[in-house]
Amino acid sequence: KTTTIVELKLKSSVTPLWERPDLAIGREDVRVQGDRVSVRVHSLGSIAAPASRVVLRDPSGQTVSSSRVPALEAPLDLLPKTTEVVLPAPPGTELKGHEVRIDPRDEIEEITNRNNSVVLQ
């Protein structure tokens, strides 16, 4: 029987998950109405989320539209904290395959960014 000893060193510290905001959107939060995309943004983290941006990108990754998302309180009272934003698209744009993304430059240290994007079907 052999014993393996592993020595680990912390290279850098990060903000604990319980001290991070978390913005989120899901497929049911994104609605296309003609040339407008309405997006309901949720705050899910344990601290308030700072103001950010939401963008609409075409399938090649180019930004078509952008909108400011105001700061959102954390849902510490267990009630939803949301806001609605609208992304106008150029008239006649085929929106299938476009992506809606919160915090497109990943400037906010969130719990996860896996809930920051929806591709339009």
Side-chain angles (χ1 to χ4, degrees), residues 2-70:
T2 60
T3 302
T4 304
I5 297 174
V6 178
E7 186 176 320
L8 303 174
K9 286 189 176 184
L10 182 63
K11 291 177 101 173
S12 62
S13 62
V14 296
T15 306
L17 295 178
W18 58 87
E19 293 178 8
R20 295 184 189 186
D22 190 23
L23 293 170
I25 56 173
R27 200 167 301 289
E28 65 281 352
D29 298 311
V30 179
R31 294 179 316 283
V32 176
Q33 300 159 326
D35 296 327
R36 298 166 30 109
V37 179
S38 297
V39 184
R40 180 180 32 221
V41 179
H42 299 260
S43 174
L44 303 177
S46 56
I47 68 166
S52 60
R53 297 208 68 70
V54 64
V55 297
L56 177 65
R57 291 181 177 156
D58 68 18
S60 73
Q62 296 289 0
T63 298
V64 174
S65 185
S66 173
S67 184
R68 182 181 178 280
V69 177

Side-chain angles (χ1 to χ4, degrees), residues 1 20 22 38 40 45 66 68 75 79 84 86 91 99 110 112 114:
K1 188 174 184 180
R20 295 184 189 186
D22 190 23
S38 297
R40 180 180 32 221
S66 173
R68 182 181 178 280
L79 296 174
E84 290 273 337
V86 175
E99 175 193 38
E110 297 185 68
T112 182
R114 296 183 80 164

Side-chain angles (χ1 to χ4, degrees), residues 106-119:
D106 293 324
E107 297 171 317
I108 302 170
E109 186 179 28
E110 297 185 68
I111 293 172
T112 182
N113 60 10
R114 296 183 80 164
N115 55 8
N116 285 9
S117 176
V118 169
V119 176

